[in-house]
Amino acid sequence: MRVALFAPCFVDHLVPSAAIAALRVLERLGIVVDVPDGAACCGQPVANAGFASAGAAALERFADTFASYDHVVVLSGSCAVHVRGHATGIGDAGIRVAQRTTEFCAFLHDVVGVERVRMLGATLRARVALHIGCHALRGLDLARPSELQLRPSNKVRAVLATVEGLSFAALARPDECCGFGGSFSIGEGAVSARMGRDRLADVQAGGATALVTTDLSCAIHLRGVDRAAGGALPMWHVAEVLAGMAACDALDASGGER
Amino acid sequence: MRDRGEPRPLPVLDATGAVDHAAGAERFVANEARTTWHDASLWFVREKRDRAASTVEDWEALRDAASAIKTHTLSRLDEYLAQFEQRATARGITVHWARDAAEHNEIVLGILSARGARRLVKSKSMLTEECGLNDYLIGRGIDVVDTDLGERIVQLRNEPPSHIVMPAIHLKKEEIGETFHEHLGTPAGDDDPDALTAAARVHLRARFLAADAALTGVNFAIAETGGIVVCTNEGNADLGTALAPVHIASMGIEKLVPRAADLGVFLRLLARSATGQASTVYASHMHAARPGQALHVVLVDNGRSAQLGRADFWGSLKCIRCAACINTCPVYRRSGGYSYGSTVPGPIGSVLTPGFDLQKYASLPFASTLCGSCAAVCPVRVDLDVQLYKWRQLAVDAGYVSPVKGWLMRRLGAVLADPALLQLTVGIAGAILRVVPRPLARRLAGAWGRWRELPEMPAQSFRAWYRANRRGPD
Amino acid sequence: MPLGFAQRIVSRDDLVARFIDSAAGAAARVVHGTRAELATLVAGFSGDGLASDGVARFDREAQRVASRCLSMVPGVPGTVAVPDDPHALADLDLLVCEGVLGVAENGGIWLPASRLGERSALVLARHVVVVLARSSIVADLHAAYAAVDVSAESFGVFLAGPSKTADIEQSLVIGAHGAMGVTVVLLDE
């Protein structure tokens, strides 16, 4: 089983700690992980802004880079959704990569298995608000969206439930969008920021001491909104919790190992 | 009837006359308390919808069925329209065909003029809003009264509906109380919904009894029987059509279903999706005029056959106008109906309206985070988020985004495709951020920094760390 | 079998209970009776009968005696006949009619034009009494459309409770334009 880990552009450069955590988790699970050079981005940031043609080169590069792997583990739900939905348009390599691309938590849940994840023995004394990015939620079946009348399921929660000491804050609107939305956060800044404030208010009302997410793009936005209002809510990627790296703020610039 | 000449609340338009949704949204969201209230009002409806849907076994299968029926119907719409016309005509209904809004309005005026009708009572019809019927008729001497309470409220205020099911959802009861005090003579300061509704009942009952003609929208038309179905909670469509000597029903051509039995699927979904009710109070099936009355059905295209011909967007015609996507949309809830500048706001409006005029409505597909909640609530499974994404591509291809944004995005695309170039760009940005004071940096970061603190810049990227710690020095 | 949705086999009592729940959810009042008692029951709805029901809070006008009653149900006397001009029913207090079929899942009752006498009566009357046989209740709308030909008459309506609106700040108000109260008399037959 050849497994590649992909840290999307913004994770690579803005939240390297989460990628380091993900790598460690996979390694501790006995998975041989490769982090190939070649692709920096899947092209989603420009494609969702209406410039799919400008993002095509990045996506093609992604497909070329990861064509030979059995699993491409992406540290961002929305990037995984983008690849799965759009790489199919760029030939055989694209179709193969699209089928084999998944998100980190989905990989742990579906391929590794929750019981093996439990053997990591992660502990965290925190009451966390779970924030699953909307694309991952509805595009990868990471959890049952609140709109659907189906049996409840939540892969991310199942993975996090292996962490000793961790409890979940109940949110009034469990899967309300945080307002990031890529270029939306710039083009519709006022509404985007308002959505972020509302999301954080719900997290606070639920008594959460931290926010844990599958999507660091959401977290970078939420953190920006939170810090602009003088807040200090810790925000972590699921991988950081599992790796025992959630002691301090995931988005603080510690770089390197910590 | 236009009771007051004050200007309608308009969307924000840019220099080219295009709707600037972001600007309208920013204006709306600037009133924090009102935004909180508006968001909560709509979320309340979304939650009612969730509860109602949860009581139906196989809700998701019902959505599948509804989508399949509509898909089938649209695939042979010409045949079903012809069948509908034939069956309706056989029942004595006069069927009219309108290519566009202008033809629709002329047909309605023609029917009224032939009867010498001057007083028209209308029940809810978003199609007539789309066609600008009220202004057209009022300008030609017809007394037009909207009878749905919400529509009457906004008509008295000289405003368009801000929502397709709850036209006055943007108004507080105090504002409605003031409007009714001014126009209906209710006591100043009375904002009790019971009292205001009672006053509207008395006011409108007189209009119903005096009407020369009644116009309704159509929720469904049945091809095999030639009948129409109109759903209301207030009973205004029934009161109007049961009293007036002429009933005009205006419908978009996409409202057809093949068989009466199909309504079992759609009526189970409609009210639950719209308001969280198990059923509307009245679901009226009209298959012929009552004795002494004339019944006209106006079939309106107005861009629908063009939308049907668009491979990526025909699915929007499955829409049954329940507004569930509008209620759940986190952007609509915080930007209000007027920010869209279109008859139908929210996600469904943002995929329908660009089909009329992409240049004018190019900002609408961008008024979304693509969160997908809209598609997940849609009772007929319109893939709204996918269509929003596709309209964005077309808006960009047609050159309807700013040249600056276009240049930036194309540059960004090139940078993202090249890890070395990205590393260099981030390195430069990081170097700047390390020397520039934070407040200045936030200003330099434009729309991001206006609303948020900037992210920290780590000393080392993940890839750099990986090279150093896993691969060893090169 | 409509469309192949799961149709649990339920007892008549289950259907009736579900119908009563749904009708209550639509703000209709449900009472039980026999055909022999109908005239007495309906007479009780006049005057104090209407005033004392749960709907009367919204039904200020109903406190006066329901002197103008159109009855389409044999054995229940009315005071007005079906007029040529529907406007003549403008002050109608009470319509008494018999439903063809009730829908358990939503409390709707199928009322074709012939059962209303004059279709305007449905929305002009302050209060509507609908007589419905328990045996006519079906599970859902699929079953309802299978059981009735909705195109048989010029007009027919599924009626679920009194007229209502929530157009002012989402506040539910009973009695927008049509009936301010609906009473369903379930007949044990």
Side-chain angles (χ1 to χ4, degrees):
Chain A
M1 183 170 81
R2 297 198 66 213
V3 178
L5 176 66
F6 176 64
C9 48
F10 61 94
V11 178
D12 187 18
H13 291 285
L14 297 178
V15 206
S17 58
I20 294 165
L23 183 70
R24 286 185 178 158
V25 167
L26 296 173
E27 287 172 348
R28 282 182 207 162
L29 289 166
I31 297 161
V32 178
V33 191
D34 201 2
V35 181
D37 285 328
C41 177
C42 66
Q44 184 194 198
V46 287
N48 277 3
F51 293 82
S53 54
L59 187 56
E60 281 169 30
R61 193 144 183 168
F62 183 96
D64 288 346
T65 303
F66 294 105
S68 64
Y69 292 94
D70 299 313
H71 297 281
V72 185
V73 180
V74 178
L75 216 51
S76 156
S78 68
C79 299
V81 170
H82 182 72
V83 171
R84 290 176 64 87
H86 297 283
T88 49
I90 50 174
D92 288 345
I95 291 168
R96 201 164 51 242
V97 166
Q99 287 166 347
R100 295 172 184 193
T101 296
T102 188
E103 183 274 339
F104 178 75
C105 295
F107 179 75
L108 292 187
H109 184 276
D110 298 345
V111 180
V112 176
V114 171
E115 285 317 306
R116 274 179 72 192
V117 174
R118 193 185 308 280
M119 280 151 57
L120 290 169
T123 60
L124 179 70
R125 303 214 64 77
R127 181 178 171 82
V128 304
L130 184 54
H131 180 82
I132 301 176
C134 295
H135 294 181
L137 176 74
R138 300 190 182 84
L140 292 175
D141 297 326
L142 274 187
R144 187 207 65 181
S146 57
E147 299 89 5
L148 300 185
Q149 306 305 312
L150 299 172
R151 211 153 33 84
S153 68
N154 192 326
K155 295 177 183 178
V156 186
R157 197 180 162 113
V159 165
L160 280 172
T162 65
V163 177
E164 202 183 308
L166 183 145
S167 63
F168 296 95
L171 303 185
R173 304 180 187 185
D175 52 18
E176 174 88 323
C177 180
C178 72
F180 173 62
S183 63
F184 179 86
S185 63
I186 307 289
E188 292 261 2
V191 174
S192 170
R194 170 70 203 224
M195 288 168 69
R197 288 197 296 277
D198 289 350
R199 185 70 174 149
L200 289 167
D202 195 3
V203 167
Q204 202 141 49
T209 55
L211 181 141
V212 177
T213 186
T214 55
D215 283 76
L216 290 162
S217 49
C218 301
I220 291 169
H221 156 73
L222 283 172
R223 181 185 188 273
V225 171
D226 185 51
R227 300 302 186 265
L233 183 73
M235 300 183 192
W236 299 305
H237 190 275
V238 175
E240 292 173 288
V241 175
L242 295 178
M245 287 167 62
C248 57
D249 187 342
L251 298 172
D252 280 342
S254 56
E257 299 211 36
R258 63 181 191 207
Chain B
M1 191 181 79
R2 182 64 48 78
D3 297 80
R4 188 155 67 162
E6 72 182 39
R8 294 177 168 214
L10 293 169
V12 178
L13 303 180
D14 69 13
T16 68
V19 174
D20 185 344
H21 181 275
E26 187 171 335
R27 190 174 63 181
F28 185 89
V29 87
N31 188 333
E32 291 200 17
R34 198 166 185 112
T35 303
T36 301
W37 168 81
H38 190 260
D39 170 68
S41 297
L42 288 146
W43 187 257
F44 173 66
V45 184
R46 158 70 205 273
E47 287 185 315
K48 283 199 298 180
R49 172 265 174 208
D50 289 350
R51 282 196 295 276
S54 73
T55 66
V56 177
E57 277 183 63
D58 295 333
W59 176 262
E60 301 302 329
L62 206 53
R63 293 174 67 216
D64 288 336
S67 177
I69 294 166
K70 279 287 184 181
T71 300
H72 165 81
T73 312
L74 291 167
S75 75
R76 50 190 67 189
L77 189 57
D78 53 339
E79 294 170 29
Y80 284 123
L81 283 166
Q83 186 185 20
F84 174 80
E85 179 184 36
Q86 186 246 322
R87 301 286 159 85
T89 305
R91 301 287 297 259
I93 297 171
T94 309
V95 177
H96 306 259
W97 298 80
R99 195 179 308 277
D100 54 24
E103 278 193 15
H104 165 262
N105 294 349
E106 285 163 19
I107 289 166
V108 172
L109 181 65
I111 296 165
L112 297 176
S113 301
R115 289 266 182 162
R118 313 297 290 179
R119 288 163 298 197
L120 177 69
V121 286
K122 284 179 66 205
S123 67
K124 180 101 63 48
S125 159
M126 293 315 293
L127 175 63
T128 61
E129 292 286 338
E130 176 187 318
C131 292
L133 179 70
N134 283 18
D135 284 348
Y136 174 86
L137 292 179
I138 291 163
R140 284 155 185 79
I142 306 292
D143 175 22
V144 181
V145 175
D146 281 318
T147 60
D148 172 82
L149 176 59
E151 289 217 314
R152 186 58 179 155
I153 290 166
V154 295
Q155 187 184 30
L156 290 172
R157 296 173 61 86
N158 197 25
E159 294 172 0
S162 70
H163 185 286
I164 63 173
V165 170
M166 302 170 287
I169 189 74
H170 60 294
L171 293 171
K172 298 209 171 196
K173 63 182 189 221
E174 293 81 5
E175 293 165 313
I176 296 166
E178 281 170 30
T179 301
F180 277 25
H181 173 61
E182 183 181 339
H183 294 279
L184 306 185
T186 54
D190 188 352
D191 55 18
D192 172 49
D194 280 331
L196 295 176
T197 303
R201 178 185 170 100
V202 172
H203 158 72
L204 287 166
R205 181 59 74 93
R207 303 301 186 113
F208 281 120
L209 289 167
D212 302 319
L215 187 145
T216 69
V218 172
N219 291 96
F220 303 97
I222 312 163
E224 73 168 358
T225 66
I228 58 171
V229 178
V230 182
C231 300
T232 74
N233 279 322
E234 297 181 5
N236 52 326
D238 292 293
L239 203 42
T241 60
L243 289 169
V246 188
H247 173 194
I248 304 168
S250 292
M251 60 175 273
I253 54 174
E254 81 283 16
K255 295 289 186 184
L256 274 181
V257 295
R259 307 167 305 167
D262 299 326
L263 295 170
V265 172
F266 290 103
L267 291 189
R268 294 189 80 193
L269 289 165
L270 178 63
R272 291 185 174 97
S273 296
T275 58
Q277 295 170 273
S279 168
T280 54
V281 175
Y282 304 90
S284 302
H285 298 54
M286 301 164 185
H287 277 86
R290 60 178 171 72
Q293 187 196 42
L295 173 51
H296 296 262
V297 174
V298 189
L299 296 166
V300 184
D301 184 332
N302 202 37
R304 284 161 179 75
S305 52
Q307 188 83 337
L308 190 56
R310 294 184 180 111
D312 290 334
F313 305 110
W314 66 266
S316 61
L317 296 175
K318 293 191 290 182
C319 174
I320 58 172
R321 299 294 191 276
C322 71
C325 66
I326 298 174
N327 301 334
T328 198
C329 179
V331 178
Y332 173 88
R333 283 189 259 117
R334 295 173 182 85
S335 63
Y338 296 147
S339 62
Y340 295 80
S342 60
T343 304
V344 181
I348 184 63
S350 297
V351 302
L352 287 172
T353 318
F356 288 109
D357 184 345
L358 181 54
Q359 181 165 18
K360 181 171 181 186
Y361 298 106
S363 73
L364 267 50
F366 295 90
S368 164
T369 60
L370 304 182
C371 76
S373 183
C374 47
V377 289
C378 178
V380 291
R381 295 196 188 276
V382 177
D383 54 346
L384 287 154
D385 51 337
V386 175
Q387 293 190 34
L388 289 166
Y389 176 88
K390 287 175 173 170
W391 272 123
R392 291 181 182 189
Q393 311 302 325
L394 294 184
V396 166
D397 290 348
Y400 298 144
V401 298
S402 79
V404 175
K405 182 179 176 186
W407 183 85
L408 276 172
M409 282 294 164
R410 290 190 179 91
R411 284 308 305 152
L412 181 59
V415 170
L416 294 178
D418 184 340
L421 190 54
L422 178 61
Q423 178 67 60
L424 179 69
T425 309
V426 173
I428 293 168
I432 294 172
L433 275 180
R434 274 187 280 277
V435 297
V436 171
R438 291 306 270 189
L440 177 59
R442 268 185 76 176
R443 269 213 300 283
L444 289 174
W448 180 278
R450 184 175 166 205
W451 303 104
R452 308 165 193 87
E453 188 50 81
L454 304 183
E456 307 285 338
M457 293 296 285
Q460 193 179 29
S461 73
F462 170 62
R463 276 180 180 73
W465 176 92
Y466 185 80
R467 277 193 294 273
N469 292 277
R470 287 295 182 275
R471 290 184 189 158
D474 291 333
Chain C
M1 194 69 172
L3 281 167
F5 289 112
Q7 299 283 308
R8 280 184 309 167
I9 307 294
V10 292
S11 71
R12 172 84 13 213
D13 284 348
D14 287 346
L15 280 181
V16 171
R18 178 84 195 269
F19 176 85
I20 292 170
D21 273 359
S22 301
R29 187 178 63 157
V30 181
V31 299
H32 301 266
T34 64
R35 203 168 278 280
E37 297 170 336
L38 268 181
T40 320
L41 268 173
V42 171
F45 297 148
S46 305
D48 290 347
L50 281 186
S52 63
D53 73 24
V55 172
R57 184 162 67 87
F58 308 104
D59 192 358
R60 299 179 180 97
E61 294 162 281
Q63 291 180 29
R64 65 194 190 82
V65 173
S67 59
R68 288 173 56 78
C69 170
L70 175 65
S71 173
M72 296 300 294
V73 175
V76 178
T79 59
V80 297
V82 174
D84 290 334
D85 179 358
H87 293 77
L89 295 176
D91 295 321
L92 190 65
D93 294 305
L94 194 63
L95 167 69
V96 184
C97 56
E98 179 158 355
V100 172
L101 164 154
V103 185
E105 69 160 325
N106 63 18
I109 299 173
W110 179 250
L111 292 163
S114 58
R115 296 289 179 101
L116 299 170
E118 161 55 50
R119 76 187 231 208
S120 62
L122 180 74
V123 272
L124 285 170
R126 288 190 180 84
H127 198 99
V128 173
V129 173
V130 188
V131 177
L132 187 70
R134 283 165 56 101
S135 58
S136 73
I137 294 172
V138 299
D140 56 26
L141 279 172
H142 307 300
Y145 279 100
V148 298
D149 175 4
V150 295
S151 69
E153 299 189 24
S154 64
F155 176 85
V157 60
F158 284 108
L159 176 75
S163 162
K164 50 181 81 75
T165 183
D167 273 344
I168 300 175
E169 283 201 6
Q170 294 297 297
S171 301
L172 178 65
V173 180
I174 307 288
H177 291 302
M180 291 188 277
V182 168
T183 300
V184 180
V185 183
L186 276 183
L187 295 184
D188 200 4
E189 60 184 39

